[in-house]
Amino acid sequence: MKWLGGGKSLGYKLNMATALLAIGVCLLVGLYYQNDVSERIRDVARHEMADLVNSLNLALETKANRSDVQRVMGALSTKESIRRISLIEGEKITADNHAQHIGRTVAESFGSQVQQLIRNTRTKNSDDPFLEKDGVIHQTALLYLISPERQRLRPFVLYVAYDPAALEQAAQKGFMEFILIQSLGFMLLLFINTLVQQKVVLGPINAIRRQIEADPQSELALKADDELGLLVESYNASIRQRIMQAKELEDSRRYIDTVINVIPVQLAYVDASRCYRFINRRYLVWLGKSEAEVLGRSVTDVLPPPVEELIVPYQLRALQGNQQVFDAEFDDKYFQATYVPDVTNDGEVVGFFACVEDLTPIKANERKIESYALELEHKNADLVEAREKAEAASRIKADFLACMSHEIRTPMNGVLGILSLLEKTELSIQQKHYLDVASTSAESLLTLLNDILDFSKIESGKFEIDEVPFDLIQLLDDFIQPFAIRAEAKGLKLLLDISGIHLRWVRGDPGRIRQVLVNLVSNAIKFTEVGWIAVRVQASEDTANGVSLMVSIEDTGIGISKDKQEVLFSPFTQADSTTTRHFGGTGLGLSIAKRLCELMDGDIRVISAEDAGSTFKFHLRLKSEAASGAEWPPALNCRAPLLAGELGASERMLFELLDSWQLRPALLESNTELAQTPALAAADWLIYSVPEHLVSITQELQKMAAFATEKGLKFLAIISHRQQIGLAPTILSSCHYLCRPMQALKLVDILSDSDGNDVVLPDDTQSQLNDSAQILLVEDNKVNQMVALGMLRNLGLKHVEVVTNGLQALAALQHRQYDLILMDCLMPEMDGYQATQAIRKGEAGQKHKDIKIVAMTANAMKGDRETCLEAGMNDYIAKPLHQAEVARVLERYIPLDSTSCAPSNPLSADTLLFDRHCALELMSGDSELLGDILKVFAEEMAVYLEAFESAMGRRDFAAVRTAVHAIKGAAGNLCMSPLAGVAKEMEMAARRLDWVYLEAHQAEFIDVLRRTLEQSQLPTA
């Protein structure tokens, strides 16, 4: 047992398992061997039986007397293993190796089981006649022999009693030898297994045990690449992890101790017997004791008696499991104590944690705050009084601003209104241009006035920025022209670069953007004596639905010194005091521009040096706006424009713009002969920049237009505003031109074959309101009365009565029925608000209580619209009045006149439709060239007329517009002004999808076209 390792050792357990397995194997092999031996003995018995049958058949085959049979039976029974052999015929024993049984019956000689075995053999009821009983094997066999008595073949049963004892003894001897050999093999295996275990398993394990007993914290120094090596590596990993955890635990303990000792509260732990088990440094400092004097001592021994007496009830309740929080005062010091019970999982309270906080500084601060609060109560009373005074002053200021807004905007309404009425009259191109500039300037002035009135809102942070969709290109076109005239008058060049704009429609506040531009460009013109001002605009989408607008205004003016730039955007500040005296101004514009940029999520900055010009840059964040049919850059019919003439900075910017539109522009330098340039072959437009020093340019334009026509090119002239004044009427009606800096939308119209330079005719196609409508105009200002009456008459309203205040309006309503009232808000005796409220109350009669009332007010303050609607008015129109806005509002309440599309001013039969003299001037007097062109014109007109009639039959507005547009352009270039005018009216109707007008004027248009062709083909006198 000791050799095996002891009863509890791993070697004993492993070897005992091997031994038990060997015993089990021996038992199984023994059982199998015994079973196999029995089966082999039976096989031997069967073979012996077969040999006996064969021998008997051979011996008795020819001779079968009784003596021979007995002699054969005796010979066969000589084998030691055969105890008895009998030959049975029927139920009688014929022969037997024991003579006493011969002649006896089967029943007399055999037991019942043997008898049954014999019968089964005779009747063939058993395939294997075999019986093993009492250590003897009984076998029978059926054979056919010649009967000694009858001498013929008869069935016989051969019975044999076989004794297997000798075979069993031999088998037992072999079995014992096998068991012995097997046992020796197992013992040898057990011995070898034990040696291997000792070497491979038990030895290393004992070595590991000895290392662990020597140093449990060290890693094992055992190298192996088997499972034992994995076990050692796992043990070493666990040792390393345990060492790391111990270090982390030590660090955590150190951190906790440090935190506990530095936090500004007193901490301790008291057990169930009220003895201190833990205390932090701050608590020890407060007690004035060391840790040895406190730990393990009771609370009664450590704390002063007054303190201990105060806290005992709380400590006892904490030991009962109830958390305690209480305040205490001792020696003019204030404390707040918290006792938290320490409860085990079994619900037993084994102590409590004590946390004591010194509240003395807080209490001192509370006393100060109480003193301050008392002082504030006295000051609040003063502040309330001051606030009431400030609110009263604010109301006075608001009333003043409202009054100033009304008084300033009222004359502006007159100016803009008269300009609007003038726009509806028949004007020349120059007059139309000046009218546009005057209107734009007046509206810019009105915008500036509004911004000045709103300056107080900007200062108070209550100013709001609108967010509406607007056309950025249109804004720049409208903004630049008034300043171009001012700059040209001063001898400066104003340049506009929009090649960096990649979208046209955006959402933002166009009025505020225009105000910033106006301010910066006005300053640039004001402070620049020689040189140029360049406005560069870039707009592109940079985020989802976001637009970045970058604008720079660069000039060659007086510049700004570095020290003045820091205060440049402060209110009422200019570069120096002499600037105001020399140039004028308040210094408020840049401050407003900066505030507006910041309100629009942007910024503004300046780059400048004294006597070196300035560059102002501002950046704004806008939103994109999808607008149908307003793609930008535009798609043009123009492919390869040729720029010639005096090519300055403005023309080179035009070149860059056309290039950014994916065209193929070409520049012709001034020293190159135009007729000889190879670029003419690929060009489809000639854009000619007229030299600025030329005053009369009519002949120059006629010459260049004729040259373009001769080369099959379309012609566009670039001129100055000064040169536009001296243009002849024939040039105005037959030649495309633009003033510097070019307006982008007009440029697009021209390059798209849209004629933007026709003589401006009265717009007879405008929708008219029902002229039977009865209107009451309540307005006290005479100029405003004139403006409103003029606009209403332009809209077809003839029945308008004017009164000057609310009382007169109430009186008028009692004597006449009206469809609508246009009500001014601020009037003497009774204003518009009071008059509206009186009408709604029925003071002008019950039948007028629901009459439509539209407010007209020059107030610009926020909330005016809401005030009008709250007073009972139906709608609101702000002054200055704009006819389009007036029409838009009135159309909601007054139906359109169905006859507004009736033909106006039909051409008489003797009207001159073709001015041959004008056309000859355009061709430089070349009548042959004019004749050729007129022939081509007639052929083209036949094609366009057929296209027009086909489009009218299909009600295809786009096709109608294309056909009449082409006819209009060709007629205008050949001095056929009546045809161009009629075609223009038809094009405008097609644009607004007015089928009634197109159908009503179709016959007139075709008649004018045919009569014009007839006059153009008449021979010259």
Side-chain angles (χ1 to χ4, degrees):
M1 185 69 69
K2 182 178 179 180
W3 179 75
L4 291 174
K8 296 183 179 179
S9 70
L10 182 61
Y12 171 79
K13 295 176 181 178
L14 292 174
N15 292 324
M16 183 55 67
T18 303
L20 292 175
L21 179 63
I23 294 171
V25 170
C26 289
L27 290 175
L28 291 175
V29 170
L31 292 175
Y32 173 78
Y33 186 84
Q34 288 290 343
N35 184 62
D36 186 64
V37 167
S38 298
E39 191 63 33
R40 288 184 180 185
I41 290 174
R42 293 188 186 95
D43 290 342
V44 171
R46 289 189 181 93
H47 286 301
E48 290 283 351
M49 186 67 176
D51 291 342
L52 290 174
V53 171
N54 291 332
S55 299
L56 192 60
N57 281 328
L58 290 173
L60 301 177
E61 181 178 1
T62 58
K63 190 175 183 180
N65 55 47
R66 191 175 298 276
S67 59
D68 291 334
V69 174
Q70 186 63 35
R71 185 176 59 253
V72 172
M73 294 292 287
L76 294 176
S77 63
T78 56
K79 289 185 179 182
E80 183 181 358
S81 58
I82 297 177
R83 287 188 179 185
R84 183 179 177 181
I85 182 169
S86 298
L87 185 63
I88 303 167
E89 182 181 4
E91 292 293 331
K92 185 178 180 180
I93 299 174
T94 304
D96 196 305
N97 63 334
H98 297 288
Q100 65 268 28
H101 296 296
I102 298 173
R104 291 184 179 183
T105 62
V106 173
E108 293 174 345
S109 299
F110 301 102
S112 59
Q113 292 181 338
V114 176
Q115 293 177 30
Q116 184 63 40
L117 182 63
I118 293 171
R119 282 194 295 270
N120 290 338
T121 302
R122 184 184 299 123
T123 59
K124 299 180 182 180
N125 289 332
S126 175
D127 294 333
D128 187 16
F130 190 93
L131 175 65
E132 190 173 358
K133 180 181 179 184
D134 298 332
V136 178
I137 298 175
H138 304 274
Q139 296 185 88
T140 58
L142 181 65
L143 70 162
Y144 292 89
L145 300 173
I146 298 174
S147 174
E149 287 83 7
R150 300 181 182 181
Q151 292 297 317
R152 58 188 180 89
L153 200 63
R154 292 284 294 172
F156 290 84
V157 176
L158 177 66
Y159 165 76
V160 177
Y162 189 82
D163 186 2
L167 293 175
E168 290 176 351
Q169 288 178 359
Q172 189 67 28
K173 182 180 178 181
F175 174 70
M176 294 305 295
E177 292 174 353
F178 176 77
I179 291 297
L180 178 60
I181 294 172
Q182 191 178 47
S183 299
L184 291 175
F186 277 126
M187 291 177 65
L188 180 60
L189 177 63
L190 182 61
F191 174 74
I192 295 173
N193 191 37
T194 301
L195 292 178
V196 173
Q197 290 173 2
Q198 188 67 28
K199 179 68 176 177
V200 177
V201 179
L202 298 179
I205 289 177
N206 288 329
I208 292 172
R209 177 179 57 80
R210 288 192 295 271
Q211 290 185 41
I212 293 174
E213 289 175 352
D215 187 2
Q217 299 299 326
S218 65
E219 297 184 18
L220 299 177
L222 180 65
K223 302 297 182 180
D225 56 358
D226 53 9
E227 289 80 359
L228 197 59
L230 294 176
L231 177 63
V232 171
E233 182 60 32
S234 299
Y235 175 82
N236 291 340
S238 66
I239 287 295
R240 290 192 293 269
Q241 185 176 6
R242 186 168 63 184
I243 293 172
M244 186 182 300
Q245 290 175 345
K247 185 177 182 304
E248 291 177 354
L249 183 61
E250 180 64 27
D251 292 341
S252 299
R253 179 64 181 271
R254 187 175 67 257
Y255 297 154
I256 292 172
D257 290 344
T258 302
V259 171
I260 288 174
N261 287 320
V262 300
I263 59 176
V265 294
Q266 301 158 16
L267 299 175
Y269 180 81
V270 181
D271 62 15
S273 60
R274 295 183 63 234
C275 291
Y276 285 102
R277 297 301 176 192
F278 164 79
I279 190 167
N280 72 342
R281 189 178 304 158
R282 186 173 291 273
Y283 210 150
L284 291 172
V285 172
W286 179 68
L287 292 174
K289 298 178 181 294
S290 66
E291 194 174 75
E293 294 175 305
V294 176
L295 294 182
R297 305 283 298 276
S298 69
V299 175
T300 304
D301 296 335
V302 174
L303 295 178
V307 177
E308 197 270 341
E309 182 180 353
L310 176 65
I311 66 175
V312 163
Y314 299 104
Q315 290 186 344
L316 294 178
R317 284 195 287 271
L319 289 173
Q320 293 173 358
N322 301 314
Q323 181 174 328
Q324 301 294 303
V325 180
F326 61 93
D327 295 335
E329 182 179 359
F330 177 72
D331 285 346
D332 295 331
K333 291 187 177 181
Y334 298 89
F335 299 92
Q336 183 182 72
T338 302
Y339 295 158
V340 180
D342 183 15
V343 184
T344 65
N345 293 334
D346 298 331
E348 179 184 1
V349 180
V350 296
F352 63 86
F353 299 92
C355 176
V356 182
E357 186 177 1
D358 188 356
L359 300 180
T360 303
I362 296 176
K363 289 292 184 180
N365 290 334
E366 287 179 354
R367 293 193 185 97
K368 292 180 182 179
I369 292 173
E370 289 176 359
S371 175
Y372 294 154
L374 184 61
E375 184 179 353
L376 286 174
E377 287 183 6
H378 296 295
K379 290 184 177 180
N380 278 341
D382 298 336
L383 289 175
V384 169
E385 182 179 358
R387 184 187 67 185
E388 292 175 351
K389 292 180 180 179
E391 289 176 350
S394 178
R395 286 192 296 271
I396 293 173
K397 180 180 178 181
D399 293 342
F400 171 76
L401 289 175
C403 180
M404 287 299 298
S405 170
H406 182 272
E407 294 303 321
I408 294 175
R409 291 165 66 89
T410 295
M412 286 303 301
N413 178 50
V415 173
L416 289 172
I418 294 299
L419 289 174
S420 176
L421 294 176
L422 182 61
E423 187 179 13
K424 303 302 177 182
T425 63
E426 184 172 351
L427 302 171
S428 67
I429 288 296
Q430 294 97 327
Q431 292 169 336
K432 171 63 176 172
H433 182 72
Y434 292 149
L435 178 63
D436 290 342
V437 172
S439 299
T440 304
S441 299
E443 294 197 6
S444 298
L445 175 60
L446 180 62
T447 302
L448 290 174
L449 292 174
N450 290 338
D451 292 334
I452 294 173
L453 292 173
D454 287 338
F455 184 72
S456 61
K457 296 181 184 179
I458 298 177
E459 290 297 314
S460 62
K462 297 180 180 179
F463 193 84
E464 294 184 1
I465 295 295
D466 291 335
E467 185 178 300
V468 297
F470 68 94
D471 187 342
L472 179 60
I473 304 299
Q474 184 70 61
L475 172 69
L476 295 172
D477 280 355
D478 294 343
F479 145 78
I480 202 68
Q481 288 305 307
F483 291 100
I485 296 175
R486 287 176 52 188
E488 190 175 309
K490 200 173 177 180
L492 303 173
K493 290 185 178 182
L494 181 59
L495 310 174
L496 177 62
D497 181 7
I498 61 170
S499 59
I501 297 180
H502 300 293
L503 69 169
R504 177 174 172 182
W505 282 87
V506 294
R507 292 184 67 87
D509 193 331
R512 303 307 171 190
I513 296 174
R514 182 189 184 99
Q515 180 180 349
V516 176
L517 288 168
V518 166
N519 181 276
L520 296 179
V521 175
S522 295
N523 286 345
I525 295 175
K526 181 192 299 184
F527 297 115
T528 303
E529 295 298 330
V530 178
W532 46 263
I533 297 100
V535 181
R536 294 181 172 87
V537 185
Q538 297 178 346
S540 60
E541 294 187 85
D542 58 355
T543 58
N545 202 33
V547 176
S548 175
L549 177 65
M550 301 282 295
V551 182
S552 69
I553 295 93
E554 183 179 1
D555 63 59
T556 57
I558 62 175
I560 306 167
S561 62
K562 201 72 175 178
D563 58 326
K564 300 298 182 182
Q565 294 178 23
E566 299 178 357
V567 297
L568 189 62
F569 294 102
S570 301
F572 309 106
T573 301
Q574 291 191 339
D576 58 52
S577 58
T578 61
T579 301
T580 303
R581 293 195 300 270
H582 183 72
F583 295 102
T586 63
L588 188 61
L590 287 178
S591 175
I592 294 177
K594 178 178 176 62
R595 303 293 181 86
L596 290 176
C597 289
E598 291 171 349
L599 289 172
M600 289 184 282
D601 195 19
D603 58 70
I604 186 171
R605 57 194 176 93
V606 61
I607 303 172
S608 181
E610 198 165 4
D611 298 327
S614 304
T615 300
F616 284 83
K617 296 183 177 182
F618 66 90
H619 170 243
L620 303 179
R621 302 289 303 170
L622 307 174
K623 294 183 179 178
S624 61
E625 174 71 18
S628 177
E631 64 277 355
W632 197 265
L636 304 175
N637 294 331
C638 175
R639 299 184 309 278
L642 174 63
L643 277 68
E646 186 177 74
L647 302 180
S650 180
E651 287 73 23
R652 296 188 183 278
M653 285 186 178
L654 174 60
F655 175 84
E656 294 176 1
L657 178 64
L658 296 174
D659 185 64
S660 70
W661 288 353
Q662 306 301 314
L663 304 181
R664 299 190 303 277
L667 281 175
L668 182 62
E669 300 299 336
S670 57
N671 58 353
T672 304
E673 183 65 32
L674 178 60
Q676 298 176 359
T677 179
L680 276 175
D684 56 353
W685 273 84
L686 174 61
I687 301 178
Y688 181 71
S689 178
V690 180
E692 291 190 34
H693 66 276
L694 297 178
V695 178
S696 177
I697 61 172
T698 299
Q699 292 183 353
E700 180 77 6
L701 290 183
Q702 288 176 342
K703 180 181 71 173
M704 297 309 301
F707 174 80
T709 303
E710 179 184 352
K711 298 296 183 180
L713 305 179
K714 298 174 183 178
F715 180 68
L716 169 62
I718 300 175
I719 63 177
S720 67
H721 291 275
R722 179 177 58 86
Q723 291 170 335
Q724 181 189 14
I725 298 174
L727 287 178
T730 55
I731 295 296
L732 294 175
S733 62
S734 61
C735 178
H736 293 300
Y737 72 90
L738 287 175
C739 292
R740 303 182 188 92
M742 284 68 74
Q743 291 174 286
L745 293 182
K746 285 189 176 181
L747 177 64
V748 169
D749 286 342
I750 292 173
L751 296 184
S752 300
D753 289 337
S754 177
D755 187 358
N757 295 316
D758 295 339
V759 174
V760 180
L761 301 174
D763 189 1
D764 297 328
T765 63
Q766 182 177 5
S767 297
Q768 301 288 303
L769 298 173
N770 192 333
D771 62 359
S772 63
Q774 304 292 318
I775 308 297
L776 177 61
L777 173 63
V778 187
E779 170 65 65
D780 62 322
N781 186 278
K782 295 295 184 181
V783 175
N784 289 343
Q785 290 177 5
M786 292 173 58
V787 171
L789 285 171
M791 289 185 178
L792 294 174
R793 286 168 182 162
N794 283 341
L795 294 174
L797 298 173
K798 303 175 182 178
H799 305 288
V800 182
E801 183 174 349
V802 181
V803 296
T804 59
N805 58 54
L807 291 176
Q808 294 181 11
L810 295 177
L813 286 172
Q814 294 175 356
H815 297 91
R816 186 175 173 184
Q817 182 71 33
Y818 296 97
D819 297 303
L820 181 138
I821 300 176
L822 290 173
M823 181 78 74
D824 187 23
C825 291
L826 298 181
M827 297 177 292
E829 299 189 47
M830 177 182 283
D831 62 26
Y833 304 118
Q834 297 169 337
T836 300
Q837 292 170 353
I839 292 171
R840 297 306 184 208
K841 291 178 182 178
E843 295 182 12
Q846 293 297 318
K847 63 181 179 179
H848 298 300
K849 286 180 63 176
D850 298 325
I851 191 173
K852 305 300 181 183
I853 303 176
V854 177
M856 296 190 308
T857 177
N859 287 349
M861 304 302 291
K862 182 182 178 182
D864 288 336
R865 179 182 181 87
E866 290 73 14
T867 302
C868 294
L869 298 179
E870 289 174 1
M873 300 180 185
N874 299 92
D875 218 322
Y876 174 97
I877 302 175
K879 296 178 182 177
L881 299 179
H882 296 276
Q883 182 162 318
E885 178 65 15
V886 173
R888 185 181 64 82
V889 174
L890 294 186
E891 283 175 2
R892 300 173 186 166
Y893 310 104
I894 299 175
L896 293 175
D897 187 355
S898 59
T899 64
S900 62
C901 295
S904 57
N905 300 328
L907 298 174
S908 62
D910 57 352
T911 301
L912 179 63
L913 301 179
F914 172 52
D915 189 344
R916 185 176 296 274
H917 178 72
C918 170
L920 275 173
E921 285 186 357
L922 290 176
M923 303 300 155
S924 301
D926 191 340
S927 57
E928 184 178 351
L929 174 62
L930 177 60
D932 293 340
I933 292 176
L934 288 176
K935 289 180 181 178
V936 174
F937 172 77
E939 294 172 357
E940 289 184 348
M941 290 306 103
V943 175
Y944 287 131
L945 177 59
E946 182 180 354
F948 170 76
E949 291 176 335
S950 174
M952 289 294 293
R954 301 192 310 270
R955 297 175 69 97
D956 186 341
F957 288 102
V960 169
R961 178 183 171 188
T962 301
V964 297
H965 174 79
I967 294 171
K968 179 192 71 173
N973 289 331
L974 289 174
C975 298
M976 301 174 181
S977 298
L979 176 59
V982 175
K984 179 181 179 181
E985 293 176 356
M986 295 294 283
E987 182 183 8
M988 293 174 63
R991 284 184 178 180
R992 63 174 181 267
L993 308 182
D994 189 348
W995 181 254
V996 175
Y997 184 91
L998 290 174
E999 199 169 37
H1001 291 73
Q1002 178 180 1
E1004 176 191 358
F1005 170 70
I1006 295 175
D1007 178 66
V1008 172
L1009 174 59
R1010 287 175 175 166
R1011 288 163 52 197
T1012 302
L1013 289 173
E1014 290 173 358
Q1015 290 189 16
S1016 66
Q1017 302 303 316
L1018 292 175
T1020 57

